Amino acid sequence: QLFRAVLAAEGLDEAAENWVMAFQADASEALADLIRFLLRLCGCGATIPREKVTDTEQLDAQVETLQDEMAQQAQAAYPVGSRAKPFRGIRKHAGHLVEKLLEDAAEADILGEEDLLDVWQQWLIAFSVSSLRSFRHTATLVALWTIRALSTQLEQTRDQYDVAVRQRDAEAQRSGSNRTRLAHTAEKMEQLDALRDTLDANLDALINQV
């Protein structure tokens, strides 16, 4: 669905929203769809089972298998590197979809969920050092879109954390401060702090390894 939306150049925002809902319902299958989207952008039609997508310990072996399969096929121009009419504008639309998907994930409070960013960035890193240009070039390009999106979310998370600190301090200084409100703010700060660490770690991995 993600790749079809990019090819059609329409329904991109809806596709991102649907993916977020799919992740909330079944994270493993949604992650499999996301990695299949990356594969399609590389010009690879392989279908990877969900259990292999999240098994990042076997990632190098999986990428090697995909490379071998691709090497046996006639190497046509891959979507993001093609000038063919069906792929015109695909970089623009794919970039928008990746950034919208991560933005919607943040709004739904799932961006810091275990596996989401970890699986995504590990696949991008593995593909970015592939011996196949279609894998290497596509993953590097997608990583740049991801870095831009995560940088935006990191800035917003820092701003939200600063607001929460001010709210906590203002409430604490009031006579008869509301303990429930203070506890809620403290919990929010803890969540924002964890998300900030997650975003920092994933950005560092992408910037330093891609």
Side-chain angles (χ1 to χ4, degrees):
Q1 291 184 354
L2 296 174
F3 188 64
R4 285 200 297 271
V6 166
L7 281 181
E10 60 183 23
L12 298 173
D13 290 358
E14 183 180 0
E17 292 169 6
N18 289 340
W19 186 87
V20 168
M21 288 189 290
F23 183 91
Q24 291 170 321
D26 188 338
S28 294
E29 186 57 37
L31 284 170
D33 285 341
L34 187 60
I35 300 308
R36 290 172 197 138
F37 169 59
L38 175 62
L39 287 171
R40 301 302 175 266
L41 288 176
C42 296
C44 178
T47 298
I48 302 180
R50 54 191 286 174
E51 61 273 10
K52 290 190 175 183
V53 166
T54 54
D55 184 10
T56 52
E57 291 184 3
Q58 301 299 319
L59 183 51
D60 290 343
Q62 292 180 57
V63 172
E64 188 173 344
T65 298
L66 290 168
Q67 288 177 168
D68 291 344
E69 291 176 358
M70 288 284 285
Q72 295 173 12
Q73 303 170 11
Q75 290 295 302
Y78 50 99
V80 299
S82 174
R83 295 184 179 181
K85 187 174 181 179
F87 300 131
R88 286 178 187 171
I90 196 168
R91 288 194 189 191
K92 175 184 175 182
H93 302 310
H96 174 82
L97 180 56
V98 169
E99 293 187 37
K100 186 66 168 67
L101 190 150
L102 293 172
E103 177 186 336
D104 287 354
E107 291 180 359
D109 292 329
I110 64 169
L111 195 55
E113 291 280 330
E114 185 178 2
D115 283 348
L116 198 167
L117 290 180
D118 185 55
V119 168
W120 182 233
Q121 58 98 346
Q122 287 198 51
W123 275 89
L124 289 176
I125 290 169
F127 270 41
S128 72
V129 294
S130 169
S131 59
L132 288 181
R133 174 175 169 76
S134 59
F135 284 7
R136 189 172 62 250
H137 178 211
T138 302
T140 301
L141 187 60
V142 176
L144 289 173
W145 299 334
T146 301
I147 288 169
R148 183 165 57 192
L150 295 185
S151 296
T152 298
Q153 293 306 319
L154 179 58
E155 183 178 356
Q156 292 179 3
T157 300
R158 286 171 173 162
D159 289 343
Q160 291 169 7
Y161 186 86
D162 290 342
V163 169
V165 169
R166 291 195 294 271
Q167 290 174 340
R168 178 202 62 187
D169 293 346
E171 184 62 34
Q173 290 171 6
R174 291 178 184 171
S175 58
S177 57
N178 188 313
R179 290 186 179 181
T180 301
R181 189 175 297 163
L182 281 172
H184 176 74
T185 303
E187 182 181 359
K188 182 178 180 180
M189 288 172 60
E190 186 176 346
Q191 293 171 346
L192 289 169
D193 196 36
L195 177 57
R196 184 173 56 187
D197 288 345
T198 298
L199 292 171
D200 268 329
N202 281 276
L203 277 167
D204 284 345
L206 288 171
I207 291 170
N208 293 323
Q209 298 184 56
V210 172

